[in-house]
Amino acid sequence: MQLIAVVVLLLLQSLVASAQDRFQSPQGDSIGDESLNRLEALSHEGVPILGQKFWDDDHGAAYQCGGSTGISWARLGDWTPDVRINTDDGWGGCLQSFALLDPSNSLSNLKLTIDFSAAPDSDAGQCGEAGEREIIKTATQPAWSRPYRIDTDSRKGGCRWTMSMSGRSDIEVRVKFFPDDQGVGQCGENQTRGPYTPNRPEYLIAKAGEPLTLDLDTDGRWGGCVFSLQLVKTSPN
């Protein structure tokens, strides 16, 4: 009986490990079959592709990092799938990283950067891996930007996220960022249209010379902040 129990345990461990590998490792290094197949299909189209990784760094933090977790891809003109940021005083936090594929070099000279830091008069421990990072543009293999860690909670203040762009006047990044419950104040002042913010704009824009800043201060209040991006070419280059 003991031998049977050991065999069953080993089989269960193997199945769990396989399921974890199919999606992503804690560092987001593994691309699941579905994500890989989508990336290959989009790459054949020759259009730019924006990649996003969003994951929790502690098993107890999974409820804090919702929506489209793992790796997702969106071609030029498409929105990335929504992610939901709802960190609080629970264990762990959310990590986020981006990559940009440009197989035909149609985005030459474009530079995208994200600066992630503590908002003014805030506890900086809520905003891990602070600083500026570039979303590196590559032809086929993604080069993921240095991830930042969101762990806003009941400590003072929150985190500030700023997208900047240079090198192209015909490209912009559009952002949707809105609260999904009554805790509207958790998502700063720069919000887009959502169920609790019906009078806000449909999206916000970052373009060359005009960076976009968002503030995030989720905690124990109801709801979280929904976030997605769209890379758009506004006119012929």
Side-chain angles (χ1 to χ4, degrees), residues 11-92:
L11 286 173
L12 287 173
Q13 289 176 337
S14 176
L15 288 171
V16 169
S18 175
Q20 290 175 336
D21 289 342
R22 183 169 295 275
F23 292 98
Q24 66 173 76
S25 70
Q27 295 302 319
D29 294 327
S30 174
I31 300 177
D33 290 346
E34 183 178 351
S35 176
L36 182 59
N37 291 339
R38 175 162 173 76
L39 176 59
E40 290 177 346
L42 293 176
S43 296
H44 289 314
E45 297 178 10
V47 297
I49 308 164
L50 180 62
Q52 175 181 242
K53 285 198 294 189
F54 184 70
W55 73 101
D56 66 88
D57 64 354
D58 189 287
H59 293 300
Y63 76 94
Q64 303 182 95
C65 316
S68 183
T69 56
I71 297 175
S72 58
W73 306 98
R75 65 169 67 82
L76 183 74
D78 289 347
W79 288 95
T80 60
D82 291 346
V83 299
R84 183 176 186 266
I85 304 163
N86 188 30
T87 54
D88 55 22
D89 287 319
W91 289 103

Side-chain angles (χ1 to χ4, degrees), residues 151-213:
D151 191 22
T152 51
D153 49 33
S154 59
R155 287 171 288 181
K156 187 176 182 180
C159 303
R160 177 160 289 180
W161 181 96
T162 300
M163 167 74 76
S164 299
M165 179 188 307
S166 63
R168 294 285 290 260
S169 61
D170 61 331
I171 301 293
E172 63 185 33
V173 174
R174 298 173 180 174
V175 180
K176 291 181 180 179
F177 185 66
F178 60 88
D180 64 355
D181 210 316
Q182 297 176 14
V184 172
Q186 300 183 104
C187 310
E189 294 297 325
N190 219 1
Q191 302 173 8
T192 58
R193 189 179 308 155
Y196 293 87
T197 52
N199 298 320
R200 297 298 183 105
E202 182 181 355
Y203 52 79
L204 304 169
I205 298 174
K207 53 187 177 182
E210 298 181 25
L212 172 64
T213 295

Side-chain angles (χ1 to χ4, degrees), residues 75-155:
R75 65 169 67 82
L76 183 74
D78 289 347
W79 288 95
T80 60
D82 291 346
V83 299
R84 183 176 186 266
I85 304 163
N86 188 30
T87 54
D88 55 22
D89 287 319
W91 289 103
C94 307
L95 293 102
Q96 192 169 35
S97 179
F98 298 93
L100 181 58
L101 300 183
D102 185 18
S104 60
N105 197 33
S106 63
L107 300 179
S108 59
N109 301 319
L110 177 66
K111 182 178 181 180
L112 296 174
T113 61
I114 293 174
D115 185 63
F116 184 74
S117 61
D121 200 27
S122 296
D123 186 322
Q126 303 174 98
C127 315
E129 297 297 323
E132 186 176 84
R133 74 243 26 235
E134 183 176 356
I135 301 177
I136 301 295
K137 183 167 63 68
T138 56
T140 55
Q141 296 299 318
W144 295 99
S145 63
R146 180 168 59 93
Y148 48 83
R149 183 175 186 270
I150 306 164
D151 191 22
T152 51
D153 49 33
S154 59
R155 287 171 288 181

